[in-house]
Amino acid sequence: MAERTFQSTEELALRIRRHAVEMTHLGNSSHVGACLSMADIVAVLYGSVLQFDPSRPQSPDRDRFVLSKGHAGAGIYAALAECGFMPVEKLKTHYQDGSDLSGHVSHKGIPGVELSTGSLGHGLGVGCGMAYGAKLDGETWRTYVLLSDGECDEGSNWESILFAGHHRLDNLTAVVDYNKIQSLAPVRETLELEPFADKWRDFGWAVVESDGHDHDALKAAFSAGPDGRPKVVVAHTTKGKGVSFMEGQVLWHYRSPQGDEYEAALRALGARP
Amino acid sequence: MRDAFIARLTEVARRDPKVMLITGDLGFGVLTKFADEFPKQFLNAGVAEQNMTLLATGLAMGGRTVFTYSIANFPILRPLEMIRNDACYHGANVKVVGIGGGFSYGSLGISHHATEDLAILRSLPDITVVAPCDLYETQEATSALVSTPGTAYLRLDKSVAKPLADTVEPFVLGRARRWREGTDLTFVTCGGIMQCVLAACENLATDGIQCRILSMHTVKPIDREAILAAARETGGIVTVEEHTLDGGLGSAVAEVCMDAGVIPERFHRIGLRSGFSSIVGSQEYLRKVYGLDAAAIVGEARRILATGRNAVVSVDATG
């Protein structure tokens, strides 16, 4: 089994970003912007919040993490590899013929992935089931679900949000990577989510808003509570964060970094092309 | 069948605290006793079938065997993607129970006519699809699904076939039960429509036409041996289903024959032709309208017995 490779959550985030750029470059695949957007959230979760043991990925007392925004598969595979769930070298197979590292996240053959996703609006409901079951069993492990903002267009999420609030699932934490951009346009031009925090609050959730790139703020957000309600961390982020020419650009939802763009992106992340 | 299912599930739940039932806010009166006896094994997810299916998957991932329950179309059609991506792909112990198969709720209109469910669910990988025809099969299927890992669909019917006194074959998931012996034809059926097949065969027997009847309660995985034996040993196969002919039981039986290169002397499918039923009525009434009742089955059987080997049988649109 591979070993954990980072000293700090900041270092883990940087590695996730470099991997995401390289993986989407090699695979000529989409969603680099979404991977960069969530890198700090994922790094804080895997680096300092989640309880897990990569040598025992199915251990019953592990915290459950569900990546509901499954299109950011490259980012989560990168985190898992850096945490020792699989060799970092395996990341190069992402998107390649015959690989099990699919563009959208899959659990098959990938230890550490709890749920295969890719169609939006699935993760939170499964997370509710995990959390509800843990409560029935008197277990103390927690469930974390990472959603995208565009994903919140899916009605199934609001069924799950209603359920978790009603049943006071305070062992459940949702995180929204609120980068304000979805596939084709900004969120506010597609389907406005605001007042977003109020919506969750009205459904019975404790809401913590945070800078989604500030590790200390994220750690504080995750450690707050529980207060008898499910918790959502609305993490304000920038799509494409870390690579200036990708930041805040709709283009990088689907575009794959190639040629000069690839080299510039790696340089921006302090890596040699 | 619904009550037989609940009765057996109650027995199972007493023995196994990991068995759970989630309803999509349906089952007034029917589920009350279960809910009272097993507060930790019962959940009303509300009118939210997508979340119900997702919850079931999450709970199943924690080691539970979870039955989701609603009127047949509701727990399958809207959350179909949840059944596919979440339950089936993860091999989760989620057992989807649809009550009111076929025209059970005929008077309620097409939203409640469950007439495509078998075809739709049969096309999913890693799922077991069961449509029992009587109370015994319903109860045994319930137990069998609990002890069979993975995702399943259990289609329950309002109508119930009355078992024959000499029907002693035990229920085994994936194995057809032979309800009647005969060599002239074999009827292959599933679900409560069996009662019409039984009546039809009694009628045919008065003229000396002896038909084999197979209860193909498990539509997937289907019992290939029973189908091929019927094709070889009897004068033909007639499938009967209260379901569209597009991709249902009859299609499954035809696939088995063609894949094996075994062509029955005669082959005919009885079921619903294209089109929704925009008229309503009791299950009995709609069966008659759409040519699924005993009289229609007798007529079809006589017609195909009168035709030659491998004759092309013309069918009338009934949609």
Side-chain angles (χ1 to χ4, degrees):
Chain A
M1 186 50 73
E3 294 196 352
R4 176 178 158 140
T5 58
F6 54 91
Q7 300 302 318
S8 66
T9 58
E10 285 80 3
E11 186 186 352
L12 175 56
L14 187 59
R15 284 170 182 259
I16 291 170
R17 289 195 161 92
R18 288 175 184 166
H19 285 310
V21 167
E22 190 178 24
M23 290 164 78
T24 52
H25 164 72
L26 291 175
N28 202 16
S29 60
S30 302
H31 305 120
V32 66
C35 294
L36 296 176
S37 169
M38 72 175 193
D40 294 300
I41 298 166
V42 170
V44 167
L45 283 170
Y46 275 89
S48 81
V49 175
L50 296 173
Q51 302 292 312
F52 60 84
D53 175 357
S55 68
R56 296 166 54 235
Q58 292 297 312
S59 99
D61 58 351
R62 70 193 186 279
D63 285 337
R64 270 59 165 183
F65 173 77
V66 172
L67 181 73
S68 196
K69 47 174 281 183
H71 52 285
I76 211 67
Y77 294 143
L80 290 171
E82 292 292 346
C83 287
F85 283 94
M86 61 177 145
V88 171
E89 199 58 24
K90 185 178 167 82
L91 297 177
K92 288 192 183 348
T93 69
H94 174 252
Y95 233 80
Q96 306 298 323
D97 290 348
S99 174
D100 44 17
L101 289 182
S102 49
H104 293 72
V105 74
S106 175
H107 73 290
K108 297 234 172 165
I110 318 292
V113 174
E114 301 283 353
L115 185 74
S116 297
T117 52
S119 174
L120 298 173
H122 289 239
L124 190 56
V126 174
C128 284
M130 292 171 168
Y132 190 85
K135 279 204 171 282
L136 287 174
D137 293 337
E139 299 286 350
T140 55
W141 51 264
R142 295 188 62 83
T143 300
Y144 296 81
V145 182
L146 177 53
L147 303 129
S148 74
D149 45 12
E151 180 179 8
C152 292
D153 296 353
E154 293 280 4
S156 55
N157 285 311
W158 297 97
E159 292 184 3
S160 305
I161 294 168
L162 194 64
F163 178 89
H166 176 87
H167 289 278
R168 303 180 68 82
L169 298 182
D170 60 358
N171 56 349
L172 173 68
T173 301
V175 195
V176 181
D177 176 12
Y178 195 11
N179 60 37
K180 325 287 190 297
I181 290 177
Q182 46 196 107
S183 293
L184 305 181
V187 168
R188 66 172 187 279
E189 292 173 18
T190 309
L191 278 178
E192 178 63 278
L193 291 172
E194 291 296 336
F196 196 41
D198 289 345
K199 288 186 172 69
W200 290 86
R201 220 173 269 122
D202 287 348
F203 278 61
W205 288 59
V207 184
V208 186
E209 295 203 61
S210 172
D211 178 335
H213 301 304
D214 179 332
H215 288 222
D216 289 336
L218 283 169
K219 285 169 193 171
F222 286 121
S223 62
D227 69 349
R229 292 179 291 173
K231 178 163 72 183
V232 59
V233 176
V234 176
H236 295 278
T237 57
T238 301
K239 198 142 182 172
K241 177 72 176 180
V243 178
S244 59
F245 63 88
M246 293 184 181
E247 289 187 1
Q249 300 297 314
V250 173
L251 177 70
W252 292 95
H253 184 80
Y254 286 123
R255 192 179 173 92
S256 160
Q258 300 299 341
D260 292 346
E261 290 166 341
Y262 169 61
E263 294 182 6
L266 278 190
R267 271 198 302 275
L269 297 168
R272 227 182 319 198
Chain B
M1 287 190 194
R2 183 189 60 184
D3 295 342
F5 159 73
I6 294 294
R8 178 58 62 89
L9 193 71
T10 300
E11 290 172 28
V12 173
R14 273 188 198 126
R15 286 196 305 271
D16 184 353
K18 291 292 188 185
V19 168
M20 200 166 171
L21 174 65
I22 310 183
T23 176
D25 202 36
L26 276 164
F28 183 74
V30 182
L31 306 179
T32 314
K33 276 173 70 180
F34 188 96
D36 289 345
E37 183 172 348
F38 310 104
K40 287 187 150 190
Q41 290 164 259
F42 176 81
L43 179 60
N44 184 351
V47 195
E49 294 82 11
Q50 296 179 85
N51 191 51
M52 172 171 75
T53 311
L54 295 170
L55 287 172
T57 302
L59 284 158
M61 285 175 168
R64 286 180 162 76
T65 299
V66 188
F67 287 79
T68 60
Y69 176 98
S70 194
I71 288 179
N73 286 334
F74 308 157
I76 57 169
L77 293 183
R78 194 188 318 238
L80 182 61
E81 194 184 53
M82 283 76 184
I83 296 174
R84 177 185 182 270
N85 294 8
D86 302 294
C88 292
Y89 188 60
H90 293 83
N93 282 326
V94 173
K95 322 295 181 184
V96 179
V97 180
I99 57 165
F103 288 129
S104 296
Y105 294 112
S107 300
L108 298 183
I110 76 116
S111 60
H112 288 57
H113 295 170
T115 46
E116 304 81 36
D117 52 339
L118 298 173
I120 290 166
L121 291 168
R122 184 172 88 80
S123 69
L124 297 181
D126 297 331
I127 192 167
T128 302
V129 178
V130 186
C133 73
D134 68 359
L135 300 182
Y136 165 75
E137 288 187 0
T138 301
Q139 298 206 322
E140 293 302 296
T142 304
S143 300
L145 291 179
V146 170
S147 55
T148 304
T151 306
Y153 173 54
L154 178 62
R155 185 209 220 205
L156 302 181
D157 203 319
K158 192 176 258 180
S159 69
V160 175
K162 194 174 161 197
L164 298 171
D166 57 355
T167 304
V168 292
E169 278 193 292
F171 177 95
V172 178
L173 203 62
R175 191 173 307 162
R177 293 176 68 227
R178 203 178 284 202
W179 271 53
R180 195 179 187 287
E181 196 42 275
T183 54
D184 292 318
L185 280 177
T186 297
F187 284 99
V188 181
T189 190
C190 66
I193 192 79
M194 169 69 95
Q195 64 178 210
C196 299
V197 175
L198 289 173
C201 287
E202 279 174 32
N203 181 305
L204 291 166
T206 59
D207 283 350
I209 301 169
Q210 298 297 339
C211 298
R212 181 182 294 182
I213 301 178
L214 296 177
S215 169
M216 196 61 71
H217 47 74
T218 309
V219 177
K220 182 177 185 169
I222 202 159
D223 186 343
R224 292 170 182 275
E225 285 179 22
I227 293 166
L228 296 177
R232 291 188 178 109
E233 296 164 12
T234 69
I237 293 178
V238 176
T239 62
V240 183
E241 58 197 305
E242 193 166 317
H243 182 273
T244 177
L245 287 180
D246 296 329
L249 175 69
S251 300
V253 171
E255 288 163 15
V256 169
C257 293
M258 296 304 286
D259 284 345
V262 175
I263 313 299
E265 215 170 316
R266 301 173 183 85
F267 185 82
H268 184 58
R269 296 180 297 150
I270 296 176
L272 300 167
R273 304 277 154 195
S274 59
F276 291 106
S277 177
S278 55
I279 60 164
V280 301
S282 68
Q283 188 170 31
E284 190 184 359
Y285 173 80
L286 291 176
R287 281 176 178 173
K288 186 170 181 172
V289 168
Y290 293 111
L292 305 177
D293 66 351
I297 294 168
V298 168
E300 291 295 304
R302 288 189 195 282
R303 190 162 67 83
I304 76 157
L305 281 168
T307 65
R309 180 186 171 85
N310 287 339
V312 175
V313 177
S314 67
V315 286
D316 301 324
T318 56

